[in-house]
Every structure is written in C-alpha cells, then in structure tokens.
Amino acid sequence: MTDTNDQPPYIDLKGIRKGYRIGAEMVSIFSSLDLAIAGGEFVAIMGPSGSGKSTLLNMLAGIDGPDGGQLRIGGKRLDQMGESARSAWRAHNMGIVFQFYNLLPMLTAAENVELPLLLKPLSARERRIRTEKVLDLVGLAGREKQYPTLMSGGQQQRVGIARAIVSDPGLLLCDEPTGDLDRKSADEILAMLGFLNKEMGKTIVMVTHDPQAARHASRTLHLDKGEFVEERSAA
Amino acid sequence: MASLIRQTLVMTRANLLSLPRRRAISLSMSLSIALVVMVLAGFLSMAKGFEQALKGTGSSAVAVILGGGTNQETGSDIPPDVVRSIAAKRSDLGLVRNAAGELVASREIVVPVDVRHPGDNLGQTMALRGMDLSGLSLRDGVTLSAGRPFARGSREILVGDRLAHDVPGFGVGDTVRLGAVDWTVSGHFSAGGSAFESELWADLDAVRAGFDRQGEVQTLRLRLESPASIATLRDALSDVTETPLVITSETDLYAGQSGRTSDLIRLFGWPLALLMAVGAGAGALNTMMSSVADRASEIAVVRTLGFGRMAAFASTWIEAVLLSLAGAAIGVAASWALFNGWQASTVGVNNTRMMFQLAVTGDVMTMAALLGLAIGAIGGALPAIAATRRR
C-alpha cells in the first residue's frame, strides 16, 4: 500500500516483519508489510480479528517494535529506537484514543487530560490553560472537575480525545474509538475526529470494525492475515 | 528531572486515591507492620528501661570496693583485716574524712531473701542490704519518702518506693518475715526510680545476726573527694595482697551490670522481631503485587502516554513506603501508649528481683519505626519493578 503523493509519506513502513513466540512455535503476523500514509490523511484500517490490526497499531504507537524492516514516522526511524526513546517520542508526537477510554477514574476530567502535559516543560498555569482549551474544543467546557465515572460513554471518549490532542501531536492513533458507544455518540466522536483531521490537520489512523465509522476516513485499508488486501478511497 | 517528579507525583496521587479499592489488604499490610514495630519496641523499651534503672543508680563520687576479684556484690568477700587496714591508713586515699579524721564509709552485705505473702505460693526473691548507718548518707539522691530510717541494731527495714508500691505488705509499720525472723518496716525511700528502689535496707549487724553472717563484709562504700579521686584510691590500695580488690565507682558498678541483662533482652527481641518482619515483608510484597495488578490498566495507560519506567517504579514504591510509614506510626503510637512507664521486673543485680519501668524513648521509637519502614521499602521493591514491566 503506497501513497501516490510526491511528498515523502508521514508514515512509511517497508518490509515490516513481526511475529510472536507461542510456546515453542513462532507465529508470524507480518512477513513483509508495506504502508505509506501521507501527512494529514485520515486512514481507517479494517479487518477480521487476528488479521494484525492491533499489532500494527502497537508498532505505529511504538509500544512494540518490528522484528525487521523499516518503520518511519515523521522522518524518524522508530525501529532503530530503544523502548525509552520510543516512549519519549510517543509522548511528544502522538495521541492515542482507546476503545474503552482508559481514563484514570480517581482523577478528574481535567487531570486526565493534563497527563501528557506533565511530560513537557510547562508551568502549571500553561498546563491549565491548554487543558481548558481542549476540553472546550471537545464540548466539555465547565466539566473540568467532573470524574469520569459520572460521565456517559460519549463524554468519556471526548475526554479521551482531549487527552490525545492536548499536547498537539501530529498523529492520532484510534483503536476502535466508537466500539463502546451507541450510534449517536459514535457519530459525534467520528465527526470530531473528522474536524481534527480537516480543520487541525491531524494525521489519523483508526482501527475499526465498523464500516460506518470507516466511511469518515479518506482511505480505508483492509487487512487480512498480515497483508493489506483491499484499499478504498472516499469518493 | 522535573518531568519525572511530576510524573511520579501524579502517579503516586492516583495510587493513593485508588487505595479504597484495596482497603482491606492495604490495612492488613499496615497493621502487620504495626505489630512488628510493637514487638520490637516492646523488647527495646524493656532493655532501655532496665538500663535506665541501673545507669541511674549510684553516684560517681562514691567508691565501691569488692573483694575476691569479683564485680558482683553477692560473690564478693572482703576479709576483716583488709577493712581494718584500709580504715587505718593515714595516707592520702582520695577519700573524704569526717571531723574525727575517720573515713566516711559503709560496710555492706546483700542477702537474697524470699518474701512470701498469703496466697503467693511462689514468693519473690528480694535484696536485703545490711549497711552501716553512714551508708544512708552515702546514697546520693536518696530521700526518705515515708516513716523514718532503720534504727541501729534493730530488726527494722527501709523499703524502696518502687518495691513498696508493687509488692503488698510493705507499708510503714507492717511486719514482714525475712528468713527466720520478723522485721518491721520503719520507712520508705525514694531513689529516682533507680535500682536502689528494688532493695530493702537494714542495719548491718541486724542482717548479719538474722542470717548468720557474723563478721562478713561484701562491699565497702567510701565517699570520694571527687569522681577523679578513684585513681588515687586504686594506687593507694595496690599494696593490699590478702585478696584481689575491685575498686570502682558506684555508677560504673551498676552500669556494668546493666549490660549483660539488657543485651540478653535485645538478643531475644531482635530475632523475634526480624522473624516477624520477614512475615510482614511477605505480606507487604503480596499487598503491593495486588496493588500493581489492580492498577495494571492505569499503569499501562500512563506508560502508553509516555510516562517512564522510573515513575511507575517510584510511585509503587512510595505507596509501599507510605503504607509501612502508617503502620510504623500506628505501632510506635500504640507502643508508647501501652508500654511506656509499664512496670516490669526481672532477676537483676545480685540475682534478686529488680523492678523497673519500660521506657519507650526516642531512640527506641526510631529503631522500631525504621524496621517498619524497611519492611515496606524492601517488600515494595519487587512489585515496583513489576510495575515498570506493565504496558
């Protein structure tokens, strides 16, 4: 799967190999995966369970490293970085939206959103201003001190998105962001992701099972048995 | 560094705020540490109280001479010739003399006596000290708290306050059977809670007669011109060859005797406390492993956001240390409330019953609390490492 743009791809995977050892057996997930995503694209990745979607997302997030091949994001070779370097890179360049929100229940909405900013050299006042700004952006102004357990699923996912974009990363990775939401809430979240892509220029990679969710992306890739088998661009 | 501190603080705060989810197991960890702290504090306060009672006994301005090469009063024997030759010396002995030029001295013997009261089948062994009348003036810091001193040649006893308080039947005017004869309590004395207060004092000749110890002298107490004069006394008596003499100050005599028993108490206390600490450490390990498992998704989330391994380690370890600190605080507070000032007794000086108060002092509390903290610090380290591997 390659991007046709002349610009070098923002995300560039070449010949990626990845496998897991299960007991004595080595199970291959990817034998030679290629992928190119341009900056500012909104790409959905679909596929059946076990197709390698989560493994791919973990590698893009730098949580897992490939066994071989080149993994380049924003010009940086993640495959050549150690775990702590990938962790630091992730903190500054990427936001992640989880299916089950993964908010810390004992912290308020604002404290959850503020977490990535603690990794940056910002004053408490700067962190507060940026936190309030993104909570306003996702429609949760005035709910800074509310705890996640008192919020609906849609609201919790908004907090999750606010946390993902508060440090202004260029890339958003979304792992089934609407998988736990009703249709109405899901559409609101997808509209918000669309806004972040179109209006704020975020590059978005979204793993989803939901064809309706995938329609919000500019390109949909189908993954099966460790290979991209189909590509569909939005009309 | 500032980022690491911020990460650690927020993770620690999140950990502590999630403690109610692990209320029971966290409480059990703190309480088990409190128990270990209490056991150690109990033994240490016992040793400390015993030491304080003995080290506070006597005066550095009083010399004690023992014969026979022993430093135990009951095993000592000073031949009458030696007593007479010391008294007869006119050279500078570094000792105080009275207006008549005689040494301010007291010949003394200590007799272990069994005291039985109705309903008390076992009885208690106490120290009955026979002394010259001048012996009372050689006891610095001793005051008469009730009644009057014993009279010369009479079967009267002066009873230490602590003994009179703890053992029934020693009221002023009471009659007590010691050995084969009855003795009357003439008064009580106070000695600032020192080991003297566990003794019965009587006239030397009356004790000798009552226990068939005619002519016996175990120790000779003498008033020094100054604490430093003990060296002069040793030099002056170096020509005594009839028996090997031990010449020491009264404070050194009792301080030396405190070491063996207090060491023995500590020898029992530390292994027991350490054994319990191993158990509490295993409990701490289990508790913190549960904590890490309980917070697995939260740790994974913040690690995914870019939080470092060090923050995951530090926050888990700090939680363990804070829980052990709470346990140590509970243990120390309970020890102080329960043990401090508690009356205890043991076989002490001269193989007789010695009463003392448990002393939960600052160093006892510090040592016990440090053991409690060590349990949390060591028991929490492995789970903290496990937390760094969560993602």
Side-chain angles (χ1 to χ4, degrees):
Chain A
M1 289 294 145
T2 54
D3 175 52
T4 52
N5 204 323
D6 288 340
Q7 290 279 325
Y10 182 70
I11 297 173
D12 190 10
L13 277 67
K14 283 194 175 78
I16 291 294
R17 284 186 292 109
K18 182 69 182 173
Y20 290 107
R21 184 172 293 283
I22 300 174
E25 195 182 352
M26 191 71 188
V27 178
S28 173
I29 308 295
F30 302 123
S31 54
S32 179
L33 186 75
D34 295 333
L35 173 66
I37 296 174
E41 263 201 287
F42 185 169
V43 173
I45 297 174
M46 297 187 73
S49 295
S51 61
K53 300 189 303 292
S54 295
T55 304
L56 175 61
L57 207 65
N58 281 345
M59 283 197 294
L60 292 176
I63 294 168
D64 242 351
D67 296 336
Q70 291 183 13
L71 197 167
R72 199 185 300 266
I73 300 180
K76 299 284 182 190
R77 286 282 299 270
L78 263 66
D79 57 285
Q80 292 180 337
M81 292 181 188
E83 194 191 320
S84 58
R86 288 202 306 262
S87 187
W89 185 89
R90 186 165 62 237
H92 292 92
N93 297 281
M94 183 183 296
I96 303 175
V97 180
F98 302 93
Q99 179 179 358
F100 298 109
Y101 332 126
N102 288 9
L103 303 175
L104 272 59
M106 71 295 293
L107 301 183
T108 64
E111 287 169 337
N112 268 287
V113 173
E114 192 191 15
L115 287 172
L117 298 180
L118 297 173
L119 304 166
K120 292 177 177 289
L122 297 172
S123 68
R125 184 171 174 275
E126 287 171 313
R127 294 200 301 270
R128 184 172 53 77
I129 290 169
R130 286 174 72 158
T131 300
E132 286 174 356
K133 193 174 160 189
V134 291
L135 278 171
D136 186 33
L137 189 71
V138 299
L140 291 175
R143 292 183 182 267
E144 288 84 358
K145 292 185 176 170
Q146 199 163 347
Y147 285 91
T149 45
L150 300 174
M151 291 177 159
S152 68
Q155 287 172 331
Q156 288 189 59
Q157 194 57 294
R158 284 165 188 258
V159 175
I161 291 172
R163 182 178 62 188
I165 62 173
V166 72
S167 56
D168 197 24
L171 175 62
L172 279 187
L173 298 180
C174 306
D175 185 7
E176 301 271 10
T178 59
D180 197 45
L181 300 175
D182 58 57
R183 190 71 262 160
K184 182 171 174 293
S185 298
D187 287 342
E188 287 172 1
I189 293 298
L190 290 164
M192 189 172 295
L193 292 176
F195 171 82
L196 292 172
N197 173 244
K198 289 190 176 70
E199 304 301 324
M200 298 181 75
K202 306 289 181 195
T203 304
I204 297 177
V205 178
M206 176 176 70
V207 164
T208 183
H209 277 103
D210 180 6
Q212 286 195 51
R215 279 191 207 111
H216 286 76
S218 52
R219 193 153 60 109
T220 302
L221 304 173
H222 286 265
L223 193 61
D224 193 13
K225 294 175 184 167
E227 290 180 9
F228 289 113
V229 293
E230 186 186 345
E231 177 177 347
R232 184 176 55 77
S233 296
Chain B
M1 180 54 86
S3 169
L4 173 62
I5 293 170
R6 283 198 298 267
Q7 292 172 46
T8 304
L9 284 177
V10 77
M11 282 188 78
T12 304
R13 183 164 164 259
N15 291 359
L16 296 181
L17 286 171
S18 68
L19 271 179
R21 296 199 313 238
R22 307 181 293 279
R23 191 183 297 116
I25 195 162
S26 300
L27 194 66
S28 79
M29 171 179 162
S30 288
L31 290 181
S32 62
I33 288 173
L35 201 62
V36 174
V37 168
M38 284 180 71
V39 167
L40 184 62
F43 276 100
L44 292 182
S45 64
M46 201 183 294
K48 178 63 75 176
F50 185 79
E51 270 178 358
Q52 281 184 351
L54 278 175
K55 284 184 176 169
T57 304
S59 164
S60 58
V62 172
V64 181
I65 300 176
L66 301 102
T70 179
N71 58 0
Q72 292 282 321
E73 287 189 272
T74 45
S76 167
D77 180 33
I78 306 176
D81 290 351
V82 174
V83 176
R84 277 195 291 273
S85 71
I86 292 172
K89 279 183 185 288
R90 292 292 143 196
S91 58
D92 179 20
L93 299 175
L95 297 171
V96 173
R97 293 179 185 274
N98 61 20
E102 295 167 340
L103 295 173
V104 178
S106 170
R107 298 164 298 159
E108 303 189 356
I109 62 170
V110 176
V111 180
V113 290
D114 285 332
V115 179
R116 282 197 175 80
H117 294 283
D120 178 11
N121 294 328
L122 288 174
Q124 294 169 5
T125 304
M126 292 172 184
L128 173 64
R129 182 181 293 277
M131 60 172 74
D132 287 324
L133 272 180
S134 55
L136 294 174
S137 68
L138 280 165
R139 260 60 185 196
D140 294 343
V142 172
T143 54
L144 199 67
S145 53
R148 57 170 177 78
F150 53 82
R152 185 167 187 169
S154 68
R155 285 184 182 150
E156 291 181 337
I157 51 173
L158 200 54
V159 181
D161 270 350
R162 188 164 283 174
L163 199 152
H165 178 266
D166 283 7
V167 183
F170 283 105
V172 177
D174 286 353
T175 300
V176 186
R177 191 158 190 89
L178 304 175
V181 291
D182 288 337
W183 298 71
T184 304
V185 178
S186 66
H188 294 164
F189 67 89
S190 165
S194 71
F196 282 152
E197 287 191 16
S198 298
E199 292 185 342
L200 308 165
W201 291 350
D203 175 71
L204 175 66
D205 290 331
V207 174
R208 281 169 164 173
F211 293 89
D212 197 19
R213 302 278 185 103
Q214 279 81 3
E216 187 175 332
V217 175
Q218 288 176 332
T219 57
L220 190 61
R221 275 173 163 77
L222 300 141
R223 170 73 68 189
L224 290 163
E225 288 174 345
S226 74
S229 304
I230 192 120
T232 310
L233 181 64
R234 284 190 184 122
D235 284 347
L237 299 186
S238 58
D239 59 347
V240 174
T241 54
E242 289 90 337
T243 182
L245 296 180
V246 172
I247 302 166
T248 183
S249 72
E250 203 174 38
T251 45
D252 286 348
L253 175 73
Y254 285 98
Q257 288 169 350
S258 78
R260 205 173 57 176
T261 305
S262 53
D263 285 351
L264 196 65
I265 294 170
R266 289 193 182 95
L267 200 66
F268 277 109
W270 269 108
L272 185 64
L274 287 177
L275 204 64
M276 288 183 70
V278 171
L285 186 94
N286 189 37
T287 300
M288 293 314 299
M289 279 297 191
S290 299
S291 168
V292 172
D294 181 54
R295 295 182 291 107
S297 69
E298 290 151 20
I299 294 168
V301 168
V302 294
R303 294 275 291 121
T304 304
L305 294 177
F307 278 48
R309 283 173 182 268
M310 197 59 205
F313 176 91
S315 61
T316 304
W317 191 73
I318 288 171
E319 180 187 337
V321 170
L322 288 177
L323 285 175
S324 62
L325 185 67
I330 293 168
V332 162
S335 302
W336 190 84
L338 292 173
F339 301 149
N340 198 37
W342 195 12
Q343 292 283 351
S345 69
T346 185
V347 175
V349 187
N350 303 319
N351 293 324
T352 55
R353 187 179 182 209
M354 195 194 115
M355 277 159 276
F356 60 96
Q357 285 186 328
L358 270 62
V360 184
T361 56
D363 56 339
V364 166
M365 289 192 278
T366 304
M367 187 57 73
L370 282 176
L371 178 67
L373 281 178
I375 294 169
I378 295 168
L382 206 61
I385 292 169
T388 67
R389 294 180 178 152
R390 293 274 177 180
R391 57 178 194 173

